[in-house]
Amino acid sequence: MTSPAIVAHLRRYGDRTAVVHSGDRKVGYLQLAGLVGEFAARLGGERRLIALTPGNDLGSLVAYLGALAAGCVVLLTGPGADGPIAAYDPDIVIEASPDGGIPVPDVRREQSAHVLHPDLALLLSTSGSTGSPKLVRLSYRNLFANAAAIARYLGIGPTDRAATTLPMFYCYGLSVLHSHLLRGASLLLTDRSVLDTEFWAQFTRHEATSFAAVPYTIDLLDRLGFERMSLPRLRYLTQAGGRLDPERVRHYAALGAARGWTFVVMYGQTEATARMAYLPAELAAEHPDCIGIPIPGGRFHLESDESDETSEGTGELVYRGPNVMLGYAHSAADLALGRTVTALRTGDLAVRTETGLYRVVGRRARFAKIFGLRIDLQRIESGLAAAGYRACCADLGDALAVVIAAPEPARTPLSEPIPLIRTLSGLPATAVLVRTVTELPRLPSGKPDYPAVRDLARPPRTPPGPTGSGEPEPAGDGPGRSAGVRLPRILPIGRAIGGRTANRGGIGHTTGTGDVRGLFAAALGVDRARIEEHRTFTELGGDSLSYVGLSVRLDRMLGRLPVDWPNRTVAELESLPRTRRRAGFGGRVETTTALRAIGIVLIVGSHVGLYEVWGGAHVLLAAAGFNFARFALTEAPAAQRCRRALRTAASIAVPTVLWVALTMLFWDDYGWQNLVLLSKILGPPDSPTAGHLWFVEVLVWCLVAAGLLVRVPVVDAAARRAPFWFPLALLAAALVVRFHSFGLYSVRDAPFSPLAGWLFLLGWAAAKARAAWQRVLLGAIVLVAIRGWFPGEFDRERLIFLGVLLLIWLPAVRVPALVAAAAAVLADASLFTYLLHWQVYPHLRQHPAVALPVSLAIGIAAAQLIALLRWWRPVARRAAPERRPDPAPHGPADSALHGPDLGGGLLGQFRDEQVAGDRLTGKVFQ
């Protein structure tokens, strides 16, 4: 597409939507063509060099297309990348407008100071950097050929709409714009991260059909629970920008197949305008380690060099096609050059499989020569990854630089890093420089920033700061690294790798509510120093006894709490902007929290005689299994998963036992069987209080049994290999005694005995269900299993069936803010409400309308009292420095008296709008 044809091409699609931007504004193709034509006219007819720093907004898109339509050469740069601008001295400089509007060009000269080749259209930084003066020269033909090839193999059509997840100055992000505008499809322009809930709200509201991802994006998708998202219009997800682990490829290919979208792995370089190869979606599951086949119009061949120490059949991957760049530019004088390159030597070592697919096996340029040894840097990174470390390696000439990200607590590394690096490289320890950081340095495109890795390996020493520590300060921008990319904070290696050195800087600080760490410390009942910034709520030992209260307090402080906050690190939460909360409606409550709140109201109300609506406890037994699977069965080692399940069981059992022991001093409601939580096993069955604590007993022993079960290595391995089928198999076994109790319990007593544990297993399977057919299967199972379980009680059976269906299909519900806050309060106090109401309502039996709110209020007050005791515990510890806690981050001890920190009182909670639900089993006591 030559430059004058751009406006005419846009006009071809008439009033069809071209762009959705700024929330809900839509721009048609005719309107876009008019804006582009006006901008081109403003630039005039002189061909000049234009430097554009774009955002993902309408104004930047118009400026880019307008500059091309005016026949100018566009140099796209990222924010802060001053190197190319200084080296190439553009005639016009354009920066994205802060409000996304049409930017105003900064015209430096009316006539170009450069000789520009007539075929030259676009200048981009090379794939390895965004700040180097070395640029890729691309022609109009390059842009058109690559866009047409991408549109062809992805089948892009007028009904497609791509959301912009990558920056426009990155060739991958730019190719999304080209390919969609070429085919008359539309773009959802947004700068929001995939971690932002508003991104997904816009994605769903505007019926986007695709988005692009680099490996780092895939990491973020895993963290935010992408598997559970409902995206009915999603047609495909593409991945490029670096190698993705084959198991991740296979996982996303299977996920897409189950959900009705395709996962397309692609391979490319800026030097090829963007794409060179793609892996057909139907081959991803079988060949997840391959880059696939050449794009339409392109071809590969392998060139081997006898001097290379490569395996037979391996060679450098060389690409030919109409999208191969004109060549490189090292200075402004090179802009006058025509084509200097006809084939692209990718620098990747590859093989061609028997099926005709290409597989990259290494990188020629990623071999270092240190102490006479040929070191494969990619092999070292892969070896570290297999051992549980995220790492980047770089060649320092006389040493190997390795930067390692602090490992996730749920992923215990298999070995120490330095001996492993020595084994993989063959180098002595003196030739290996290891630095640990909070996050690996990355370019704006999401790729590893290898120049930054070199800078981090030898950080500059600075004089001791005010603390006199003498530790190196975080490295800043160094020579040869990308401008505008901030290096991550360096951690002491013992802390980041060993995970045993806590940051003591917080000792002496008030555990208040003005910062995220303070809220975490108060909610978890630990010293502020034990709240490490690279850990998440779940990793710090959070459970349902603290989840709801902490979510309320965080939402109040931040104004808008992300849905995935339990999976975000403390540092990420601290970096979120504080926003004003919307008034009125718009609260969000998770289904498990809603079920807890509704359940406790129905149960207490039925017991006091205000109404009779039974079945809530059985629904919540399924919810308990659901939460156990989601948040106890993490990727942590088996021993840690078992400990978490047992701690959760203890957090239920110990308060119950204490309350039973206390009541036995004044009333004869309970016996010793209740004290050991075995009344449903040891009897007596005819006790007037036999049914009081049945739910607590069944839940506690389900948690204990499940925790011990997954501690067995063989069982643990099976549960990890088949996360859905394993609990389904257990459910099948449990349903045997559901339909035939073998004389253990009467028909009337069986639903209130350990035989009801099949509902816990059903919830476990529901949490692991990923495909619609799996959820349909579980719905059918509960329909068959619940029918006839309560002879003559059809209303109870219907309630249980509907409640479990909500758990299976509906993650959360939108309710008025006041209702959401009330649900949080009721759910949070459900344990104490359940335990205490048995002794409260008999005194008000003649006034059921009064007995219900009084029982609820006493339960809430008890929860508040426990919260205050928990809040004061770390304060008391800080007042006694000789009793400083062990800094080892084993997670907070789950005392039986731990309750949620609701701190600021009930009225403050009722003002909160965004209340997230329970994420662990915890206090699901109905």
Side-chain angles (χ1 to χ4, degrees):
M1 185 190 305
T2 58
S3 56
I6 292 178
V7 174
H9 172 80
L10 296 175
R11 291 184 183 279
R12 286 176 51 196
Y13 298 112
D15 292 327
R16 185 185 301 168
T17 299
V19 173
V20 180
H21 71 107
S22 300
D24 297 309
R25 299 181 182 177
K26 295 184 178 181
V27 175
Y29 270 92
L30 273 179
Q31 185 180 355
L32 180 61
L35 294 172
V36 171
E38 290 174 7
F39 195 89
R42 188 190 311 178
L43 295 175
E46 183 69 24
R47 181 169 163 82
R48 286 174 285 182
L49 176 62
I50 296 178
L52 171 61
T53 304
N56 285 347
D57 53 62
L58 178 64
S60 297
L61 177 64
V62 169
Y64 169 67
L65 296 176
L68 290 179
C72 296
V73 176
V74 180
L75 165 58
L76 288 180
T77 68
D82 298 328
I85 294 180
Y88 289 86
D89 185 24
D91 305 307
I92 300 175
V93 176
I94 303 174
E95 293 189 359
S97 175
D99 62 359
I102 309 298
V104 178
D106 176 14
V107 180
R108 296 184 173 184
R109 56 184 71 92
E110 294 297 331
Q111 292 189 341
S112 181
H114 310 290
V115 178
L116 304 174
H117 192 276
D119 291 339
L120 183 61
L122 182 64
L123 298 168
L124 294 175
S125 295
T126 62
S127 296
S129 70
T130 60
S132 169
K134 179 181 178 182
L135 301 176
V136 172
R137 297 182 291 116
L138 299 172
S139 67
Y140 297 108
R141 182 169 183 260
N142 291 152
L143 302 182
F144 175 78
N146 203 233
I150 294 171
R152 178 178 171 185
Y153 70 74
L154 289 179
I156 297 175
T159 59
D160 282 305
R161 176 168 294 164
T164 55
T165 50
L166 300 171
M168 191 187 300
F169 57 80
Y170 176 35
C171 70
Y172 185 10
L174 189 62
S175 70
V176 174
L177 272 61
H178 290 164
S179 55
H180 282 72
L181 294 178
L182 179 67
R183 287 292 184 89
S186 58
L187 301 165
L188 173 57
L189 294 179
T190 176
D191 273 323
R192 294 184 182 274
S193 164
V194 295
L195 287 177
D196 192 330
T197 55
E198 183 58 28
F199 172 87
W200 297 108
Q202 291 181 6
F203 193 95
T204 303
R205 185 165 65 250
H206 297 297
E207 300 183 332
T209 60
S210 68
F211 65 97
V214 296
Y216 183 59
T217 313
I218 299 296
D219 291 340
L220 299 180
L221 293 179
D222 290 341
R223 290 173 58 183
L224 61 85
F226 178 73
E227 291 184 349
R228 295 189 60 80
M229 287 187 179
S230 175
L231 302 171
R233 292 300 302 273
L234 180 62
R235 192 170 72 83
Y236 64 84
L237 163 60
T238 63
Q239 183 273 319
R243 181 180 183 271
L244 188 64
D245 183 80
E247 286 304 314
R248 307 284 292 285
V249 173
R250 184 179 283 113
H251 171 76
Y252 272 82
L255 178 64
R259 295 291 184 86
W261 48 266
T262 56
F263 184 61
V264 183
V265 176
M266 308 189 298
Y267 168 81
Q269 293 178 358
T270 308
E271 289 83 346
T273 315
R275 302 276 72 78
M276 289 182 281
Y278 72 101
L279 181 61
E282 64 273 15
L283 302 179
E286 188 176 354
H287 304 280
D289 57 344
C290 293
I291 62 171
I293 58 177
I295 65 173
R299 62 186 186 279
F300 284 130
H301 72 275
L302 302 176
E303 287 190 6
S304 59
D305 188 334
E306 293 182 359
S307 64
D308 281 342
E309 303 170 19
T310 56
S311 303
E312 184 177 354
T314 302
E316 182 178 7
L317 191 64
V318 180
Y319 176 80
R320 296 176 184 273
N323 54 312
V324 172
M325 64 176 177
L326 297 174
Y328 291 113
H330 299 274
S331 67
D334 293 338
L335 303 183
L337 298 176
R339 178 169 293 280
T340 59
V341 173
T342 57
L344 177 59
R345 305 184 69 89
T346 65
D348 287 327
L349 300 176
V351 296
R352 189 172 186 269
T353 68
E354 295 179 355
T355 57
L357 302 176
Y358 287 87
R359 182 173 68 246
V360 173
V361 296
R363 178 78 180 162
R364 181 189 294 273
R366 299 218 63 213
F367 284 88
K369 219 48 175 306
I370 304 173
F371 286 9
L373 298 176
R374 192 168 185 266
I375 310 298
D376 185 346
L377 303 182
Q378 183 61 53
R379 178 173 176 267
I380 297 174
E381 290 180 1
S382 299
L384 288 169
Y389 294 103
R390 294 179 295 128
C392 291
C393 302
D395 179 14
L396 295 178
D398 58 347
L400 173 65
V402 182
V403 171
I404 299 177
E408 301 174 4
R411 295 179 178 269
T412 304
L414 301 180
S415 61
E416 290 297 317
I418 295 179
L420 177 60
I421 295 168
R422 290 181 58 192
T423 300
L424 293 170
S425 65
L427 293 171
T430 54
V432 178
L433 297 178
V434 177
R435 294 289 183 268
T436 55
V437 296
T438 54
E439 285 293 338
L440 294 178
R442 296 185 183 277
L443 297 167
S445 63
K447 292 184 177 181
D449 188 346
Y450 288 107
V453 171
R454 298 185 185 95
D455 289 346
L456 284 168
R458 288 174 173 163
R461 300 293 300 184
T462 59
T467 62
S469 66
E471 291 187 5
E473 294 295 323
D477 291 341
R481 69 178 303 278
S482 303
V485 180
R486 181 177 178 270
L487 294 182
R489 184 168 66 82
I490 300 174
L491 297 175
I493 188 168
R495 172 183 169 191
I497 303 301
R500 300 295 180 195
T501 305
N503 175 13
R504 298 178 184 268
I507 297 290
H509 289 216
T510 301
T511 306
T513 59
D515 66 302
V516 173
R517 281 195 188 185
L519 294 181
F520 267 68
L524 297 175
V526 299
D527 197 282
R528 188 178 187 278
R530 296 182 65 180
I531 306 299
E532 297 183 344
E533 65 178 9
H534 63 279
R535 295 182 182 273
T536 66
F537 171 75
T538 304
E539 294 164 357
L540 287 166
D543 59 12
S544 65
L545 297 179
S546 52
Y547 178 87
V548 177
L550 180 56
S551 67
V552 170
R553 299 299 296 276
L554 284 172
D555 183 63
R556 182 180 304 154
M557 184 180 73
L558 298 176
R560 186 177 68 180
L561 185 64
V563 176
D564 65 330
W565 75 265
N567 299 320
R568 296 199 187 193
T569 64
V570 173
E572 289 175 317
L573 292 174
E574 287 179 333
S575 67
L576 292 175
R578 271 56 166 172
T579 59
R580 296 188 59 172
R581 298 191 302 272
R582 295 168 296 177
F585 290 76
R588 179 185 183 276
V589 58
E590 287 195 3
T591 301
T592 50
T593 298
L595 291 174
R596 283 174 59 182
I598 295 171
I600 194 63
V601 173
L602 292 181
I603 290 169
V604 176
S606 298
H607 288 165
V608 304
L610 186 61
Y611 43 73
E612 288 193 8
V613 183
W614 306 106
H618 293 87
V619 174
L620 294 173
L621 191 59
F626 187 92
N627 285 334
F628 164 79
R630 289 175 67 194
F631 303 106
L633 298 185
T634 64
E635 294 299 320
Q640 186 175 334
R641 302 199 320 178
C642 177
R643 283 196 299 270
R644 173 158 290 184
L646 296 182
R647 281 200 303 266
T648 303
S651 69
I652 300 170
V654 178
T656 304
V657 169
L658 290 176
W659 178 248
V660 169
L662 182 63
T663 58
M664 290 176 67
L665 298 176
F666 303 97
W667 299 283
D668 58 356
D669 290 347
Y670 300 123
W672 67 268
Q673 297 92 338
N674 300 107
L675 195 62
V676 294
L677 301 181
L678 290 173
S679 69
K680 299 306 294 185
I681 296 177
L682 302 179
D686 57 349
S687 168
T689 61
H692 280 196
L693 303 177
W694 78 267
F695 175 79
V696 175
E697 293 183 9
V698 171
L699 178 55
V700 166
W701 294 115
C702 280
L703 287 168
V704 170
L708 294 177
L709 186 65
V710 297
R711 184 64 180 87
V712 180
V714 175
V715 176
D716 178 64
R720 293 177 192 268
R721 280 197 307 269
F724 174 74
W725 293 107
F726 178 78
L728 198 66
L730 295 179
L731 175 60
L735 286 176
V736 173
V737 293
R738 145 66 186 98
F739 288 101
H740 195 294
S741 63
F742 299 98
L744 296 174
Y745 295 93
S746 66
V747 173
R748 182 179 64 86
D749 292 335
F752 307 98
S753 72
L755 301 187
W758 68 269
L759 282 166
F760 181 91
L761 296 172
L762 182 75
W764 179 350
K768 298 301 182 181
R770 295 293 179 263
W773 69 265
Q774 293 173 333
R775 295 187 174 91
V776 170
L777 174 62
L778 292 177
I781 290 174
V782 71
L783 177 62
V784 172
I786 202 66
R787 188 172 183 181
W789 201 27
F790 299 92
E793 296 187 60
F794 302 114
D795 290 339
R796 188 196 293 256
E797 292 177 356
R798 279 194 292 266
L799 179 66
I800 297 173
F801 176 65
L802 292 176
V804 174
L805 280 188
L806 288 175
L807 187 69
I808 294 172
W809 289 96
L810 191 64
V813 292
R814 282 281 178 186
V815 295
L818 187 64
V819 175
V825 175
L826 290 169
D828 204 56
S830 56
L831 168 60
F832 301 99
T833 302
Y834 184 83
L835 291 179
L836 272 61
H837 90 282
W838 294 109
Q839 282 71 44
V840 172
Y841 82 81
H843 301 285
L844 299 168
R845 191 181 300 274
Q846 302 303 319
H847 307 282
V850 177
L852 174 60
V854 169
S855 297
L856 296 176
I858 290 177
I860 292 170
Q864 290 289 309
L865 178 61
I866 297 302
L868 289 175
L869 294 175
R870 188 179 189 186
W871 182 84
W872 277 106
R873 197 178 74 160
V875 176
R877 278 207 306 266
R878 282 195 300 276
E882 69 278 4
R883 297 181 64 187
R884 180 180 291 175
D886 179 5
H890 297 291
D894 291 302
S895 168
L897 295 181
H898 284 180
D901 174 26
L902 300 183
L906 298 182
L907 293 179
Q909 290 192 28
F910 278 102
R911 289 194 299 266
D912 285 292
E913 305 173 330
Q914 186 89 5
V915 180
D918 189 13
R919 303 293 278 261
L920 278 175
T921 308
K923 303 181 316 182
V924 192
F925 301 85
Q926 307 340 317

